Amino acid sequence: MERLFATEKLGGRSLYRFQAVTVLVGICLVLCYRATHFPAAGSGAGRVAWLGMLAAELWFGFYWVITQSVRWRPVRRRTFKDRLAARYGERLPSVDIFVCTADPQSEPPSLVVATVLSLMAYNYPPEKLNVYLSDDGGSILTFYALWEASAFAKRWLPFCKRHNIEPRSPAAYFAESDEPRDPSISKEWSFIKGLYDEMTERIDSAVRSDNVPEEIRVNHKGFSEWSTGITSKDHQPIVQVLIDGKDRDAVDEEGNVLPTLVYMAREKRPQCHHNFKAGAMNALIRVSSVISNGPIILNVDCDMYSNNSDAIRDAMCFFLDEEMGHKIAFVQHPQNYNNMTKNNIYGNSFTVLSHVELRGFDGVDGPLYIGTGCFHRRESLCGRRFTNDYKEDWDRGINKEKRELSINKIEEKAKLLTTCTYEHNTQWGNEIGVKYGFPAEDVITGLTIHCRGWKSVCNNPTRAAFVGVGPTTHAQTMLQHKRWSEGNLSIFLSKYCPFIFGNGKISLQHQMAYSVYGLWAMNSLPTLYYVIIPSLGLLKGIRLFPEITSPWIMPYIYVSVVKNIYSAYEALLYGDTLRGWWNGQRMWMIRRITSYLYGTIDTIRKLLGLSKMRFEVSPKVSDEDESKRYEQEIMEFGTWSTVYVIIATVALLNLVCLVGWLCQILTSGGRNMPLNGFCLQVVLCGLLVIINIPIYEAMFLRKDRGRIPFSVTLASVGVVMFALSLYHYFEV
Ligand SMILES: O=c1ccn([C@@H]2O[C@H](COP(=O)(O)OP(=O)(O)O[C@H]3O[C@H](CO)[C@@H](O)[C@H](O)[C@H]3O)[C@@H](O)[C@H]2O)c(=O)[nH]1
Ligand SMILES: [Mn+2]
């Protein structure tokens, strides 16, 4: 039988592998040089510094080997929706869609409902679509917004389908241009846009005043849940079915069935730990099991709207494929953002991660689960082990005929499934559902699914399936990367370490692929060492690299040049600009010496029992002034933060070392400083100074509110002076 999807190997692998082997030889030679050229005894600081360089280079070499796992065998998937249609028509499995939101301030309800509307508008039989919104903020504002959306959907869905528009998030669609692409629909377009703008304004004004007017509250029984003045951290379970797709009256203005739409806020009590997003997902799994029980679950973050209305059919091509389908537990899509600037100032457009690493991961038994844009098989998410003879019951979804209880009764039943105590003495969060205990609940959940024998695939259609809001400030970027690096490292250091937990269950290459992210955070210390010590050495005349006349310099030059040329090539190949790549390198360094450093420290503190797990939600809005600077690609600092002190200190230290070295050369005419031995140190320090130019600007030249505050500059000057004097002290 014809396959529903095809797998293609990405080209150019022989060349890549040849290149990788030569780099590996280079790395070995570098380490060889380090180990055999220890400075003579008696050169105190020099020996210690050399030892540190050895350790850092050992780490980088090891980590480079690990990263080869996701570059060795990348694949690309292609789906055949026409074959799916020919074989199954509209007889497709029902899908439960989970959207999570946590806070109406950092995740505005109008943004959340634009996402919800895009998901309701999929090109998929509406009676088989069920959209669930989990609100961890337990906010009447979000409920109100969803209620508004349930009414607007009656106009929006037919409009989308009539004109086959993309994207189907009204916010994204209307933001694209001031008039429709097809002028013949301009009247209707303006009318719908008017309705949408009015709705958004009503929602936003309710959010501004933090109140839903009485005259609105009488329209739906759900509002009465908030009559007792509940708070986000202390409230009863709430489940409200806003559109019951099985109800005869739930139709749009053209008389078509609407997807089911459900609001859920699981019970919160101050004394009960709620396990953040993982807890919300598990409550959604249970609630949906009594309302629709779709065999496939799609899960997105509240900002990740559907950008491709065929994405569900695409996913079905994988699950329903006769040959491979039964092995696939989940179909992961890359994270795309719609608010990235041209030159990727904070390195957040994950071009290389999506196009290279995820596909490489896919070539080794399947990508990791990244928490959003992922279709899961309900059974594997709920703990089932893979067996070759398992047959999925695609008709398991609850339809009109199967439902016995009235919707009110179902709501009551669902509420009981979302109480604080429901999970006590159960396997939820451990063997069943999304796993608890790690800030990267997604990665650990995916890993356990793979270890139960399932495979996964990555789908990256030309028209991105999901698009969301990426971080637009330095602080937001740092917050996200700290959570990710910490989450992955704490998995690596737990009993779920891919090399231990995965041993015998998944291939070595798959274990390595997981470790690429598991070890992100550990890059912090070697990087910090490499951006500080060689530069200090330059200033103090401590040679740390081979002399220019020595043949040992060749592997150093070869490895760094080839590695960087290749990384620029990868970025350019998938649409980054050269400047974007350069900015990415800067952020790569900054992330390592800040977010990853904090991630490492916090993981260790947690291991020692000194701190508890947190999940700080990334804000999805920024103020106007900040946004303007973001558009202009000017880095945002603005407030005091120790993170900024680290960034400023490293930048300043390198500048001082380079200038200091230059002064010494000029004053001594090069007599005391044999140039020859310091070539690589000068290049390294020089590159660090060039890459840090935006940091110097933010410290000394810029006048706007986003500059590095004077207090940060002052602190970094203090640290640099202290470091230099300390160094001096040890030397004499
Ligand atoms: O207590 C919580 C905290 C968060 N969320 C939701 O989780 C999602 C992700 O949070 P966000 O702050 O946007 O995190 P990101 O860094 O953008 O998220 C990535 O990384 C997370 C793990 O660190 C995954 O959970 C996400 O799915 C993945 O997109 C959002 O929809 C939140 O509303 C909850 O529902 N409850
Ligand atoms: Mn997010």
Side-chain angles (χ1 to χ4, degrees), residues 100-101 107 136 277 301 335 371 441 480 483-484 618 620:
C100 295
T101 184
E107 304 179 327
D136 267 349
K277 186 184 159 199
D301 292 349
Q335 285 234 27
E441 79 299 328
Q480 198 176 47
R483 168 151 45 72
W484 288 349
S618 345
K620 287 155 185 92

Side-chain angles (χ1 to χ4, degrees), residues 330-334 358 367-375 457-459:
F330 58 90
V331 178
Q332 177 65 60
H333 294 77
L358 264 190
L368 72 178
Y369 163 42
I370 56 173
T372 180
C374 188
F375 290 85
V457 293
C458 164
N459 189 28

Side-chain angles (χ1 to χ4, degrees), residues 111-308:
L111 170 110
V112 177
V113 298
T115 301
V116 168
L117 284 161
S118 74
L119 301 163
M120 292 173 76
Y122 267 118
N123 168 21
Y124 203 74
E127 67 279 6
K128 302 218 165 119
L129 278 182
N130 309 281
V131 182
Y132 294 83
L133 176 67
S134 151
D135 178 16
D136 267 349
S139 163
I140 191 170
L141 301 167
T142 307
F143 177 73
Y144 165 57
L146 199 66
W147 176 77
E148 283 276 8
S150 69
F152 180 65
K154 296 183 178 168
R155 306 254 189 196
W156 178 244
L157 269 46
F159 175 74
C160 290
K161 290 180 184 169
R162 223 169 15 238
H163 306 298
N164 207 5
I165 64 158
E166 295 282 11
R168 295 187 177 180
S169 146
Y173 175 70
F174 290 122
E176 262 181 5
S177 66
D178 291 333
E179 51 195 75
R181 252 177 260 154
D182 172 5
S184 68
I185 65 165
S186 88
K187 220 163 139 203
E188 195 186 349
W189 186 92
S190 311
F191 176 69
I192 301 277
K193 182 173 191 306
L195 289 181
Y196 176 67
D197 288 344
E198 282 165 25
M199 174 184 82
T200 313
E201 179 45 38
R202 284 196 299 277
I203 295 174
D204 289 346
S205 87
V207 173
R208 277 194 300 272
S209 62
D210 196 11
N211 181 38
V212 178
E214 266 320 310
E215 62 271 19
I216 289 176
R217 292 189 188 211
V218 295
N219 287 316
H220 195 278
K221 66 175 192 343
F223 288 106
S224 64
E225 297 275 6
W226 282 269
S227 55
T228 48
I230 59 181
T231 69
S232 65
K233 294 197 176 67
D234 195 359
H235 65 80
Q236 76 284 8
I238 305 173
V239 177
Q240 290 291 329
V241 179
L242 282 163
I243 301 177
D244 175 11
K246 275 124 211 144
D247 182 356
R248 216 180 290 268
D249 302 328
V251 290
D252 65 26
E253 57 168 13
E254 289 186 352
N256 304 312
V257 181
L258 283 165
T260 298
L261 181 63
V262 180
Y263 172 91
M264 177 199 89
R266 61 202 164 115
E267 182 180 20
K268 292 277 181 68
R269 300 294 172 204
Q271 68 278 11
C272 289
H273 189 48
H274 62 79
N275 292 303
F276 313 104
K277 186 184 159 199
M281 286 287 292
N282 287 343
L284 283 167
I285 295 177
R286 295 193 296 271
V287 165
S288 62
S289 75
V290 295
I291 299 179
S292 51
N293 203 25
I296 297 292
I297 290 172
L298 161 62
N299 122 252
V300 293
D301 292 349
C302 62
D303 55 318
M304 282 275 162
Y305 61 85
S306 148
N307 181 60
N308 179 337

Side-chain angles (χ1 to χ4, degrees), residues 473-592:
T473 66
H474 215 111
Q476 290 174 9
T477 310
M478 295 295 121
L479 176 87
Q480 198 176 47
H481 277 273
K482 178 182 164 270
R483 168 151 45 72
W484 288 349
S485 63
E486 180 188 339
N488 281 298
L489 181 61
S490 47
I491 295 171
F492 192 87
L493 297 179
S494 73
K495 66 172 183 184
Y496 295 105
C497 172
F499 290 121
I500 300 168
F501 185 67
N503 188 22
K505 299 184 186 122
I506 54 175
S507 67
L508 178 66
Q509 209 183 327
H510 214 185
Q511 297 167 24
M512 283 165 72
Y514 267 104
S515 308
V516 171
Y517 307 101
L519 294 173
W520 254 358
M522 299 278 266
N523 281 302
S524 55
L525 291 177
T527 305
L528 205 53
Y529 191 87
Y530 232 81
V531 297
I532 293 178
I533 302 299
S535 304
L536 278 177
L538 181 65
L539 188 67
K540 296 293 172 183
I542 299 177
R543 187 172 68 79
L544 291 171
F545 290 102
E547 294 173 341
I548 192 144
T549 46
S550 152
W552 286 108
I553 201 164
M554 290 315 288
Y556 275 95
I557 296 179
Y558 182 78
V559 170
S560 41
V561 169
V562 170
K563 212 181 154 300
N564 280 299
I565 290 185
Y566 185 76
S567 111
Y569 164 76
E570 248 179 9
L572 292 178
L573 186 66
Y574 293 107
D576 273 351
T577 60
L578 198 59
R579 188 124 181 222
W581 170 77
W582 179 247
N583 288 339
Q585 298 302 300
R586 177 183 313 111
M587 281 313 295
W588 173 90
M589 178 198 76
I590 290 182
R591 274 206 305 265
R592 285 182 167 200

